[in-house]
Amino acid sequence: MNSEMYVGLDIGTTSIKVIVAEKVKGQMNVLGLGNERSEGISRGIIVDIDKASESIRKAVNQAEEKAGIQINDVIVGIPANQLKIEPCSGMVAISDQSREISDEDVRNVTVSAMIKNLPPEREIVDTLADEFVVDGFDGIKDPRGMVGVRLEMKGRIITGPKTIIHNVKKAVQRAGLNPAAVNNMSLAQGMTILDDGEQDFGTVLIDLGGGQTTASVIHDHQLKFTTVDSEGGEYITKDISVVLNTSLESAEKIKRDYGYADEIDASENNEFPIEVVGQSQPVRISEKYLAEIIQARLDQIFTRMDKSLSSISALSLPGGVVLTGGVAALPGISDLAADRLDTNVRVYIPDQMGLRHPSFSLALSLVTYRANMSEIQVLVRSSLEGKSVVTAQQNDDDFIGNNYNDDMITEDVNYETEITEKPRKDKKSVSKVAKNTKGMFSRFYKDFFE
């Protein structure tokens, strides 16, 4: 893969998206897009490698045709299921005092930081260097070229279930592709969707996918916490199908065409026809009735998210909440979320032509995150290859991270079109002024995550 050409692969429960992009003069230009319905994926996890690989291949073929290139290497996303984060540190001696610190020294200190007692079922997904220390001088972002006798690295490792990681890689390889980089989805989205201030002072990013809903807390430009809820857009579609006695295909279509997240925004007078099983003639229902079905499920999701995020005071962060993912396209979703979570909320929509829909945010984040990595970040990450990690049992209390729910279901809407505005009634938005200062949040996270 050309150093300026990147291919992102988002393996979702109901759709697989492939984005081919090129970085030119600091800007990401999208050259091709593939979007294929998923097979062999349940609850955000690959359960049938053969079926998943076939869906991946179809999506990649679409992207190849549109971009006019052959795709070999891809940047694939790993879901946040059972994600765990813990601090790490390493130290190596620089043998020659007159020798400048080299790439090899950085790799060596990174490998030393990754020597951890991990449970046999877990694997390191990523290693992040927060700072380097040369002979006691800390706060160094890139130590190469400096002279010293001792090099230290302080950072974090992100681990995930070995089974999930293996199945993702295997499906990609069986599709005839090379998983050149495996990135955590929450990290890639948080570092690209949120602006500098949001990453610095603290923001909650909620990805409303079809199979599940994932919340990530970004603070001090670091991924601090993730939690996964077992429900997403697919549940909304199933609710519509059951309540209205219509097919899943019909339920998906009316959700996309007529759905509102908040019943306040929907009209009782605007009606539309639906095909009902067992009836020869379509039945007409109102936008408001449909919105009541949708809102009921969203209320459950936001209520559980509120409980989980409030337990660590994340909803008091100044950045509030940023929504993305396919479900975030529903009109009125930001006001509903602001009311249920009692904080300021905005929806992220990619601004690239042809991708103006939140369902494309993850695939785009994967390529953007990789393209914007610094040389030192790439070097540290390269140390994952050939690393030596001690395998042993470790108490889960030593890890930081994810509240995992085993009862997960399936992924989101396979939106084919860009998001368009629907007329909506005026409604007072709900926002909350942050009550704490950045320093207070820093102390909280220092206590919570160390």
Side-chain angles (χ1 to χ4, degrees), residues 56-68:
I56 292 170
R57 185 69 258 173
K58 290 178 180 177
V60 169
N61 286 342
Q62 293 178 24
E64 285 179 331
E65 183 177 348
K66 293 176 181 177

Side-chain angles (χ1 to χ4, degrees), residues 118-187:
L118 295 180
E121 72 276 7
R122 300 196 69 79
E123 181 177 331
I124 295 179
V125 178
D126 208 345
T127 302
L128 308 170
D130 295 329
E131 67 169 343
F132 292 91
V133 182
V134 178
D135 293 346
F137 294 96
D138 59 7
I140 298 171
K141 295 301 181 182
D142 188 347
R144 293 175 301 169
M146 297 182 178
V147 175
V149 297
R150 186 181 66 185
L151 175 64
E152 300 174 66
M153 189 202 84
K154 297 179 181 179
R156 292 154 290 139
I157 59 170
I158 300 177
T159 68
K162 189 173 293 184
T163 299
I164 293 178
I165 299 169
H166 170 81
N167 289 352
V168 168
K169 290 181 178 179
K170 192 70 175 179
V172 172
Q173 291 167 346
R174 195 163 291 181
L177 303 165
N178 172 42
V182 178
N183 288 334
N184 172 257
M185 295 177 177
S186 297
L187 181 66

Side-chain angles (χ1 to χ4, degrees), residues 194-213:
L194 305 182
D195 62 33
D196 186 72
E198 289 171 331
Q199 292 184 40
D200 186 15
F201 286 91
T203 303
V204 179
L205 176 65
I206 298 181
D207 187 327
L208 294 159
Q212 59 193 38
T213 299

Side-chain angles (χ1 to χ4, degrees), residues 19 52 55 58 104 136 176 192 197 220 253 265 291 341 345 406 413 429:
I19 288 180
S55 296
K58 290 178 180 177
E104 190 62 26
T192 55
D220 282 341
K253 187 177 187 304
D265 297 308
L341 301 176
V345 176
D406 289 325
V413 205
S429 61

Side-chain angles (χ1 to χ4, degrees), residues 174-449:
R174 195 163 291 181
L177 303 165
N178 172 42
V182 178
N183 288 334
N184 172 257
M185 295 177 177
S186 297
L187 181 66
Q189 285 185 305
M191 296 299 107
T192 55
I193 289 177
L194 305 182
D195 62 33
D196 186 72
E198 289 171 331
Q199 292 184 40
D200 186 15
F201 286 91
T203 303
V204 179
L205 176 65
I206 298 181
D207 187 327
L208 294 159
Q212 59 193 38
T213 299
T214 304
S216 311
V217 179
I218 307 294
H219 181 253
D220 282 341
H221 296 273
Q222 297 177 3
L223 176 64
K224 296 287 190 175
F225 177 84
T226 65
T227 183
V228 177
D229 185 76
S230 62
E231 298 180 5
E234 190 79 352
Y235 265 97
I236 299 174
T237 301
K238 290 179 179 179
D239 289 343
I240 296 171
S241 174
V242 171
V243 174
L244 301 181
N245 197 25
T246 189
S247 67
L248 287 172
E249 290 76 13
S250 175
E252 179 61 39
K253 187 177 187 304
I254 64 175
K255 179 179 71 173
R256 183 173 64 242
D257 294 343
Y258 304 103
Y260 284 87
D262 194 333
E263 62 174 301
I264 293 179
D265 297 308
S267 171
E268 184 75 58
N269 299 322
N270 292 340
E271 296 184 340
F272 54 89
I274 64 168
E275 299 292 334
V276 176
V277 175
Q279 297 194 28
S280 58
Q281 296 297 322
V283 174
R284 299 186 68 83
I285 68 166
S286 69
E287 284 182 352
K288 189 173 185 64
Y289 185 46
L290 176 63
E292 289 173 354
I293 301 171
I294 295 172
Q295 182 180 327
R297 180 62 66 177
L298 288 172
D299 279 341
Q300 293 182 28
I301 294 172
F302 287 135
T303 296
R304 289 191 296 270
M305 278 292 167
D306 178 68
K307 182 178 180 181
S308 179
L309 294 169
S310 294
S311 68
I312 60 165
S313 301
L315 293 174
S316 296
L317 291 168
V321 169
V322 175
L323 301 178
T324 190
V327 181
L330 286 169
I333 189 79
S334 58
D335 285 348
L336 181 68
D339 182 64
R340 300 304 186 264
L341 301 176
D342 192 25
T343 189
N344 54 299
V345 176
R346 72 175 177 90
V347 175
Y348 169 79
I349 301 172
D351 57 7
Q352 282 78 2
M353 185 66 67
L355 300 178
R356 288 191 52 79
H357 194 283
S359 63
F360 293 109
S361 67
L362 177 53
L364 187 60
S365 293
L366 290 171
V367 294
T368 304
Y369 177 67
R370 179 59 184 83
N372 290 336
M373 288 178 68
S374 65
E375 286 186 9
I376 194 68
Q377 287 176 315
V378 174
L379 183 59
V380 167
R381 205 178 195 288
S382 71
S383 302
L384 283 170
E385 301 297 328
K387 63 183 179 298
S388 174
V389 180
V390 179
T391 300
Q393 293 295 329
Q394 181 171 355
N395 191 323
D396 282 344
D397 291 339
D398 293 336
F399 292 99
I400 304 110
N402 173 58
N403 294 339
Y404 180 65
N405 188 330
D406 289 325
D407 302 323
M408 297 168 50
I409 307 292
T410 23
E411 196 207 333
D412 190 297
V413 205
N414 188 9
Y415 288 101
E416 298 290 346
T417 58
E418 298 180 15
I419 184 170
T420 55
E421 290 295 327
K422 295 184 182 179
R424 40 193 318 271
K425 300 177 182 180
D426 292 335
K427 177 183 177 184
K428 183 178 179 181
S429 61
V430 181
S431 63
K432 180 176 68 176
V433 178
K435 299 181 179 65
N436 300 315
T437 64
K438 180 185 175 185
M440 294 174 67
F441 288 122
S442 299
R443 289 194 296 273
F444 164 75
Y445 278 109
K446 184 175 185 300
D447 293 338
F448 188 82
F449 295 105

